[in-house]
Amino acid sequence: MATKKYVYFFGGGKAEGTSEQKRLLGGKGAGLAQMTNIGLPVPPGFTLTTEACSEYYSKGRKWPVGLKKQVEANLAKLEKLTGKKLGDVDDPLLISVRSGAFVSMPGMMETILNLGMNDQSVEGLTARTGNARFAYDAYRRFIMMYASTAMGLSKDEFEGEFERFKHTVVAKRLGRRKGESVEDTDVTGEELKQLCEILKGKYEKMVGESFPQAPMDQLRGSIDAVFNSWMAEKAVTYRRVEKISESEVSGTGVNICTMVYGNKGETSGTGVAFTRDPNTGKNEFYGDYLFNAQGEDVVAGIRTPVRLTELQKQDKKVYEQLMAVRDKLERHYKDMQDLEFTVEEGTLYMLQTRRGKRAPVATFRIAVEMVDEGLITEEEAVCRITPDDIERLFYPAIDTKIAKKDLADATLTTGINAVPGAAAGDVFFTASAAEEAAATGRRVILVRKETSPEDVGGMHAARGILTQTGGKTSHAAVVARGWGKCCIVGCEALRIDYDKKRMTIDGVTIKEGESLTLDGNTGQVFKGDFPLVDPKLPKEFDRLMAWVDRLRTVKVRTNADTADDSKKAIEMGAEGIGLCRTEHMFFDTQDRIDAIREMIIADNCDDRIKALKKLLPYQRRDFEKIFKAMDGMPVNIRLIDPPLHEFVPHDKKGQKDLAKKIGIKYATVKNRVEQLHEFNPMLGHRGCRLAITFPEILDMQVRAIMEAACKVAQKGVKVYPEIMIPLTMAERELEILSDRVRKLATAILKEKKLTKRNVPYTVGTMIEIPRAALTADKIARHADFFSFGTNDLTQTTMGLSRDDAGRFLPDYVDEKKAGVFRSDPFQVLDQEGVGELVKIGIEKGRSVKPKLKIGICGEHGGELESVKFCVRAGMNYVSCSPYRVPIARLAAAQQAIEDK
Amino acid sequence: MATKKYVYFFGGGKAEGTSEQKRLLGGKGAGLAQMTNIGLPVPPGFTLTTEACSEYYSKGRKWPVGLKKQVEANLAKLEKLTGKKLGDVDDPLLISVRSGAFVSMPGMMETILNLGMNDQSVEGLTARTGNARFAYDAYRRFIMMYASTAMGLSKDEFEGEFERFKHTVVAKRLGRRKGESVEDTDVTGEELKQLCEILKGKYEKMVGESFPQAPMDQLRGSIDAVFNSWMAEKAVTYRRVEKISESEVSGTGVNICTMVYGNKGETSGTGVAFTRDPNTGKNEFYGDYLFNAQGEDVVAGIRTPVRLTELQKQDKKVYEQLMAVRDKLERHYKDMQDLEFTVEEGTLYMLQTRRGKRAPVATFRIAVEMVDEGLITEEEAVCRITPDDIERLFYPAIDTKIAKKDLADATLTTGINAVPGAAAGDVFFTASAAEEAAATGRRVILVRKETSPEDVGGMHAARGILTQTGGKTSHAAVVARGWGKCCIVGCEALRIDYDKKRMTIDGVTIKEGESLTLDGNTGQVFKGDFPLVDPKLPKEFDRLMAWVDRLRTVKVRTNADTADDSKKAIEMGAEGIGLCRTEHMFFDTQDRIDAIREMIIADNCDDRIKALKKLLPYQRRDFEKIFKAMDGMPVNIRLIDPPLHEFVPHDKKGQKDLAKKIGIKYATVKNRVEQLHEFNPMLGHRGCRLAITFPEILDMQVRAIMEAACKVAQKGVKVYPEIMIPLTMAERELEILSDRVRKLATAILKEKKLTKRNVPYTVGTMIEIPRAALTADKIARHADFFSFGTNDLTQTTMGLSRDDAGRFLPDYVDEKKAGVFRSDPFQVLDQEGVGELVKIGIEKGRSVKPKLKIGICGEHGGELESVKFCVRAGMNYVSCSPYRVPIARLAAAQQAIEDK
């Protein structure tokens, strides 16, 4: 039986693999194969497939049958091609061994260089190069790398031996005094030989076996080391953190490559380069070069490299070779590439190519310019942008000039990175303190155990928000995301003492008014006030987003509760409001919250109506402002949704104050608040259930909406109010309430001497309960539109409380633990379950009203995969927080391109 | 255009209507028509259809076009047939006017008799009968009835005039002293004439118009009165309470009938009868007869009627006539009938026939005996039984010998009648006090604000349970129903002071140890200890249920958590356990609850395992007992389901005690309990989510189940454990957990040297979250069975918390308010929404495993319509609490009959 092909050769101008085989060969292996194929100077070698690695694991860390033979055969082929032999005493072949998985994985094994060095071949290399220092330095490096990288011994132990050697033997020879430095280059060949003996001795002492002399043993040990590094804790952690599924990447490839040396004098050197500037995207060759050095020296930062322009000056020939390579690679890959190369005595060798990582700004510039250059199409450019690219364009960041060590020293803990960007300022623990401090011009960080609608004022005043509990869809996260405000949640190490106005993280105490810096990209919390840099939109952003808008087929709206949000959203490209929550307005001023509380505490309809009358002018004014801001665009307004207990004070003082204000007994207030308690508020008396019980609340809100609409319409503003009834679960609810809304709206239009032509309002409902989706054909009879509230729909469909899921959901999305879901279903729509109900709801709704307008207004409306799902499901629009609007536009375009 | 037919004539041996037209003619109208058609002596007349009434309302209380003409035409026909004329001065026709809807509705209008009486016709009647007293008495009665019934004037006012008249004018004539009684019969014709003038004067004074003399005005007024009574508050309330939908009964019929008189001497009389004994069901004519009296006299109870046997003695001819009528009616209606009749001077007239109401015992006897008599088939007998008939057979009731007044005086309030039956005993306010008192032999009533699993011991010890909060599916109701224990919940007037050990209802205080009686049928709460009578099953019950079992196609299991429950359920006909909840077992003794608390408070796996080891022997013993009790039948055991915070003490004392017992700090216990708090526990860390986080709990439970099964199997018991994993929402959860269960079960079988042949266990899951139903095809891959947990499925599908819905659900099921649902969806399965998911779940599950065993274990499994739905949906079995098993059997049989 023929065994599987586990090894792919490259060299002599052609390779067995191609760049298409990235999954099989790993990124590095595919790059080496492809570069060989397109005629670039790649040192010959061969790649062990990722499959070899996965079979190594499935066989309990044993090489699969046939692998050994194939390695030997390919090594023989390599020896034949190079005319050298591994371990040869005259002219030894030396090779490097590198890992390389399908996706780049920093946690994995570093390179082993100079494999093939042993007590014989070091002499051969000395003879061949006439340079004992070079040969023994190579041997010394190999022993140290093999010991640490392949055998997992402490690197510091071997480095320590080297240092000790330099400061004793070498320093003595040089007559240096204690404390004076000795450079690596001060060490002679003979001394390095002596050092190699010391290192081998240390190796033997630590391992219990002598340092392997047989090159095949060295190779086998190195390959095993690469295989084993795949399951090393840091690699596993990296995959988990980056949500790289084990089923997607089954193992690492192993690349064995002929050694080339950049440290053979001034005509040698080594470099890393990007085909374009990765920071700005500018179309110019960008990189660093180190004369007379090996690649690891560049990485180690032992000497300061020069810019490539310096190479151009000093070695024009090599530079031109490199420029030709650059062109060839960009023409082939049609993308900016990240290269590693070595020049050995004037000859260029390419060691690696891969897609170059780049700053968000550069992503846009490169994509747009490559379209201009005819390298890629507009569609391809659009498909290259990721949500992260967009998101990071808009947020401030901690100044990159700050030393990494300073940041590391200041790090307190890491929470959940709910909203990206960075924020620095002074800590306050209550919304009111935050507001007061902000009013005096201070930059404020609001720190809370958790946030609630009462905190919204303080949250708005703050630069950044930090909470102890909650996940990416907690109240804090959702509200902060709406404002694009840096937010870190679920910061479990945080302890807050509200009474003493201080917080503690792992023993470090920070008092009110002391400073803190948050990095919303990483979730890191730093003590102190670090400088931030503001974002700047590249001019290419607009061009690319214009292509996006031309390509997409669905509208993108925004979730916005104020005129300011609305304006911001229009800047971000929103084409309407998909969700205007009215309850936040109640917290805006003390008058308002007093009125709503009076309404709630009232025990009869008349008193409720009296209190509601106080609220009416406020809401009407808010709506007027929003309608003006959204002139000509639809504004979808959701009637009151949260349970009433969210609005009332739960502390004694607050209740006493309220009793005094309304002029009733404290006991009455206390009693009423207690009555409002719910076991499961998520499934309680809220949404349209409130409007059924207290229709006067709906009346006030509809009046505010319609009177505002009439007023602005009379001033020439084009206004399209969409009145949305939340939490419908049955046809009859919507029948009752939509009738009531329509009757009242008609009456108000008549009062104002206007018609529906002037104010073409519509009435519809949220679909956010499974039963609503299941009976959407009946509900649609009374609705002009549906808006899928996928936050609540996810909670009910999964039986999963967003506020409580923190206890087990992390395990559920952790592949190494339960691995039930690939992502947090509150961030990425659960297409299999919740999505199924969305599809049922759309199908049933349209079966009755084929032109029913349908959108989404949950958090998912700003997430790439979820938006794409919505497009496929046939929605007319998606809606998300202002800062996510460009992402939604992008997602919609990408799905439109896929659909072509 | 021909107008609709609004009026149906009957008389002269034939009728325009039939008994099939009950919906159109109302029950009474259809009965009169049918009796006429089958040749019974019915006084001729005509019926206005229920449609006439509903059109009267749709036209804003105006007669529909054509009605007047049809009434006039039918009246003319009646006058022709009888040879008399309404209002005639010589031989006046007198008629009665009665309401009669599709369903019997006690709240509606009473009868108006003697219509046609006026100042002329009273003379005519006097002349024709030669009896002025008779004529004026008829006139007097008509005036009083018309005034009160048609015009809504106070009946007492007119009765008062009559009394005053008797005690002044008549008493004076008779020379009676003050305080001595004057009978109606003491009043002479002349005096009655005088009285009529007084009454007419009073009428004119109160109405502002003179008493109508034109018979057509009288008729019109009376018909309007009947129509209007349809929307009178008491009728509307009655329909609401009885859940009679307005769409089902659109209005009342109006029956106009020639008057016949039972008060024309000793050869006249009037009676009511049942064709069989309504209390026992015995096949003998049963009823009361009043010589020389009108029907209203029977109702008013002025004189004591005699049994029909007396009539047989005194007027054999009439009695034989009646017997013939009885046979004819039973042969025609094939059911026990309730009759009203009048004998006028030896001639029998039938005034009404309808299905006779009967005691539950009688229902069974009549149904079974009618099968024996060949009147009906077994299927028809089965279809005649209602769930109420069964339910009431099993429960004690307050002794019917107790005077109604005594009960009324003792009534404190009325709560929600959660579980029928009655209970009397001494009040205790804590579970432990209840248990202690019961242990000394006292009959105990447990009164709580609400109950929790910790109260289960006290609930079991109590005869009856009364709670302030909660609905029919609250913890108290569900647990009590399981035991068939009288339970009243949602008793809002109740206030409990736990500290002072007393309760107050509307000002009446009852202290611990004082007595209370509960009527679970009505929800009434009585002060004092009333005697109860125990139920006795009629021998016909077993025969009928044997037909039921032969007819039905699905199995009926029970929800039972103990061996006692299991035994009870088998008595009730259960064929297995459909849901054995394991968590109640944890509360059984202090040792157990201590161990589970220790497990919960533990902060590491080892400590948890240690605590769980203490629980293992308890659970194993429980399962052994249950397996033995259910020998040969399947036992479905659900692994732990509730969130852990339900098990821990939330009060300081309890937490301190626990800390002491475990030997850790109070603060640690307090902290851990706080950590367990959830915002929405219903959607929180419970069900299989616990098993994912703490697999050691699952391990202990599976071990207890399997070791118990092995032990009893080795003793020759046939054991079929079904291990059920709750709250699955995703395939992967069940994959992980079912694998774990199967591996452990296999290992335990091996330990015990048994195989799956000895203990044929299966592993399956609850489907109780929408996502589970929607992805049932994937979940089914890992399941041997599905059990629909429709309690939770209702909560999640509707986004409706059972514990909080009390605030608005009453309005939702109230047709006069929101009318969103016909019934409480926690009692009657919401087929449109939840049922849709059940169907999807079954279809998807069976698409993968065509023979997948499927059942239901929610509260709905014991409700008629829900069980019928389950049968139609293709389930293999339903499961319900022991006392509901016969209802489920009945429902299953009725559906099987419908399917034929």
Side-chain angles (χ1 to χ4, degrees), chain A residues 675 733 771 807 812 830, chain B residues 675 733 771 807 812 830:
Chain A
Q675 277 175 6
E733 289 175 312
R771 195 180 191 282
R807 222 168 261 132
Y812 267 58
D830 161 43
Chain B
Q675 277 176 8
E733 291 175 312
R771 195 180 192 281
R807 221 169 261 131
Y812 267 58
D830 162 43

Side-chain angles (χ1 to χ4, degrees), chain A residues 765-813:
Chain A
T765 184
M766 301 269 283
I767 301 289
E768 52 185 336
I769 285 183
R771 195 180 191 282
L774 293 164
T775 60
D777 46 346
K778 284 164 190 145
I779 289 173
R781 291 182 196 148
H782 311 280
D784 297 323
F785 60 84
F786 278 177
S787 177
F788 282 88
T790 49
N791 294 350
D792 281 5
L793 192 59
T794 298
Q795 298 198 76
T796 47
T797 305
M798 297 192 151
L800 197 62
S801 160
R802 210 157 67 156
D803 295 319
D804 302 308
R807 222 168 261 132
F808 54 95
L809 201 56
D811 282 1
Y812 267 58
V813 296

Side-chain angles (χ1 to χ4, degrees), chain A residues 214 448 670 726:
Chain A
R448 299 282 299 162
K670 181 169 174 276

Side-chain angles (χ1 to χ4, degrees), chain A residues 403-697:
Chain A
K404 282 189 179 165
K405 195 183 166 315
D406 290 348
L407 275 179
D409 289 347
T411 303
L412 292 171
T413 188
T414 301
I416 297 171
N417 50 341
V419 185
D426 305 335
V427 165
F428 290 90
F429 301 108
T430 65
S432 54
E435 279 187 89
E436 279 166 32
T440 68
R442 282 172 87 170
R443 287 169 301 120
V444 166
I445 305 290
L446 177 66
V447 180
R448 299 282 299 162
K449 191 157 185 290
E450 71 211 0
T451 64
S452 73
E454 292 186 47
D455 297 327
V456 167
M459 293 169 78
H460 195 263
R463 298 289 176 114
I465 294 152
L466 173 65
T467 70
Q468 182 187 334
T469 62
K472 286 195 176 182
T473 46
S474 62
H475 178 265
V478 172
V479 173
R481 192 168 301 128
W483 294 325
K485 195 180 291 278
C486 171
C487 178
I488 298 174
V489 296
C491 187
E492 294 186 351
L494 174 65
R495 290 287 171 278
I496 307 171
D497 188 329
Y498 286 123
D499 294 334
K500 298 191 175 150
K501 295 186 184 176
R502 67 185 187 194
M503 58 181 264
T504 316
I505 296 179
D506 290 338
V508 179
T509 298
I510 292 172
K511 296 197 198 100
E512 182 177 273
E514 292 184 349
S515 57
L516 208 61
T517 300
L518 308 179
D519 186 340
N521 296 313
T522 61
Q524 284 173 294
V525 180
F526 306 99
K527 188 172 159 69
D529 191 347
F530 287 97
L532 309 180
V533 285
D534 268 338
K536 223 186 275 174
L537 275 191
K539 64 180 196 296
E540 291 82 5
F541 175 77
D542 287 338
R543 278 189 66 199
L544 194 131
M545 292 309 284
W547 302 337
V548 159
D549 289 341
R550 186 176 52 69
L551 287 162
R552 70 186 159 91
T553 53
V554 304
K555 297 273 179 193
V556 175
R557 298 196 191 180
T558 190
N559 301 348
D561 307 342
T562 66
D564 285 348
D565 287 356
S566 308
K567 284 173 202 155
K568 182 81 219 166
I570 291 175
E571 275 175 40
M572 305 299 268
E575 297 161 297
I577 292 181
L579 175 64
C580 173
R581 284 161 297 216
T582 50
E583 48 271 8
H584 287 166
M585 300 175 182
F586 297 146
F587 288 100
D588 209 44
T589 62
Q590 195 61 41
D591 286 356
R592 295 179 180 210
I593 184 68
D594 284 347
I596 185 96
R597 284 170 174 175
E598 186 182 329
M599 187 276 286
I600 293 167
I601 300 299
D603 65 354
N604 64 74
C605 186
D606 287 346
D607 285 356
R608 265 195 301 278
I609 289 174
K610 214 178 78 190
L612 286 164
K613 271 201 181 132
K614 297 184 193 169
L615 281 169
L616 176 65
Y618 293 117
Q619 285 231 310
R620 190 171 48 213
R621 218 171 306 142
D622 290 339
F623 292 135
E624 276 173 36
K625 285 187 198 160
I626 292 171
F627 288 144
K628 275 185 208 158
M630 300 303 294
D631 187 4
M633 298 184 194
V635 176
N636 182 314
I637 298 165
R638 181 181 71 183
L639 302 182
I640 189 171
D641 182 55
L644 297 183
H645 50 74
E646 285 197 10
F647 298 98
V648 292
H650 292 271
D651 60 311
K652 195 169 176 179
K653 189 185 169 300
Q655 291 177 1
K656 287 208 157 173
D657 288 353
L658 181 59
K660 209 169 157 190
K661 264 178 197 158
I662 312 180
I664 57 174
K665 276 191 278 184
Y666 158 65
T668 310
V669 173
K670 181 169 174 276
N671 195 26
R672 182 85 178 100
V673 171
E674 273 171 17
Q675 277 175 6
L676 290 173
H677 168 77
E678 294 187 308
F679 294 99
N680 293 289
M682 168 63 209
L683 310 175
H685 196 194
R686 52 174 287 242
C688 71
R689 296 164 194 179
L690 290 173
I692 294 273
T693 315
F694 308 117
E696 51 276 10
I697 304 179

Side-chain angles (χ1 to χ4, degrees), chain A residues 258-565:
Chain A
T258 310
M259 283 298 299
V260 289
Y261 293 94
N263 53 352
K264 284 191 169 170
E266 290 310 304
T267 58
S268 300
T270 191
V272 293
F274 293 87
T275 57
R276 303 187 185 212
D277 187 331
N279 294 314
T280 65
K282 196 175 172 193
N283 188 2
E284 65 184 12
F285 206 26
Y286 177 100
D288 293 327
Y289 187 76
L290 206 55
F291 285 98
N292 192 19
Q294 274 293 65
E296 54 173 343
D297 299 330
V298 180
V299 177
I302 292 165
R303 279 156 49 207
T304 307
V306 296
R307 309 291 302 173
L308 282 180
T309 39
E310 200 61 31
L311 176 65
Q312 187 178 14
K313 281 184 214 152
Q314 296 199 20
D315 196 338
K316 212 178 166 191
K317 199 190 112 219
V318 165
Y319 183 78
E320 275 166 7
Q321 258 187 293
L322 257 180
M323 284 299 279
V325 165
R326 174 198 175 216
D327 288 348
K328 224 170 190 169
L329 282 174
E330 277 214 343
R331 275 202 307 279
H332 179 76
Y333 284 103
K334 300 183 175 199
D335 201 354
M336 189 267 270
Q337 295 290 302
D338 167 358
L339 321 173
E340 287 180 23
F341 61 93
T342 285
V343 179
E344 183 177 305
E345 292 170 336
T347 305
L348 174 69
Y349 292 100
M350 298 304 301
L351 301 185
Q352 176 159 309
T353 186
R354 58 181 172 190
R355 185 179 174 280
K357 290 208 166 131
R358 63 206 79 181
V361 171
T363 304
F364 283 89
R365 179 159 177 181
I366 291 168
V368 169
E369 288 187 354
M370 281 191 169
V371 171
D372 290 341
E373 293 159 22
L375 268 177
I376 58 174
T377 64
E378 289 174 3
E379 282 83 355
E380 282 168 326
V382 166
C383 288
R384 272 190 195 172
I385 308 298
T386 69
D388 269 2
D389 293 331
I390 292 183
E391 200 159 45
R392 299 199 172 179
L393 277 187
F394 287 93
Y395 293 110
I398 295 175
D399 196 337
T400 48
K401 292 192 201 88
I402 295 164
K404 282 189 179 165
K405 195 183 166 315
D406 290 348
L407 275 179
D409 289 347
T411 303
L412 292 171
T413 188
T414 301
I416 297 171
N417 50 341
V419 185
D426 305 335
V427 165
F428 290 90
F429 301 108
T430 65
S432 54
E435 279 187 89
E436 279 166 32
T440 68
R442 282 172 87 170
R443 287 169 301 120
V444 166
I445 305 290
L446 177 66
V447 180
R448 299 282 299 162
K449 191 157 185 290
E450 71 211 0
T451 64
S452 73
E454 292 186 47
D455 297 327
V456 167
M459 293 169 78
H460 195 263
R463 298 289 176 114
I465 294 152
L466 173 65
T467 70
Q468 182 187 334
T469 62
K472 286 195 176 182
T473 46
S474 62
H475 178 265
V478 172
V479 173
R481 192 168 301 128
W483 294 325
K485 195 180 291 278
C486 171
C487 178
I488 298 174
V489 296
C491 187
E492 294 186 351
L494 174 65
R495 290 287 171 278
I496 307 171
D497 188 329
Y498 286 123
D499 294 334
K500 298 191 175 150
K501 295 186 184 176
R502 67 185 187 194
M503 58 181 264
T504 316
I505 296 179
D506 290 338
V508 179
T509 298
I510 292 172
K511 296 197 198 100
E512 182 177 273
E514 292 184 349
S515 57
L516 208 61
T517 300
L518 308 179
D519 186 340
N521 296 313
T522 61
Q524 284 173 294
V525 180
F526 306 99
K527 188 172 159 69
D529 191 347
F530 287 97
L532 309 180
V533 285
D534 268 338
K536 223 186 275 174
L537 275 191
K539 64 180 196 296
E540 291 82 5
F541 175 77
D542 287 338
R543 278 189 66 199
L544 194 131
M545 292 309 284
W547 302 337
V548 159
D549 289 341
R550 186 176 52 69
L551 287 162
R552 70 186 159 91
T553 53
V554 304
K555 297 273 179 193
V556 175
R557 298 196 191 180
T558 190
N559 301 348
D561 307 342
T562 66
D564 285 348
D565 287 356

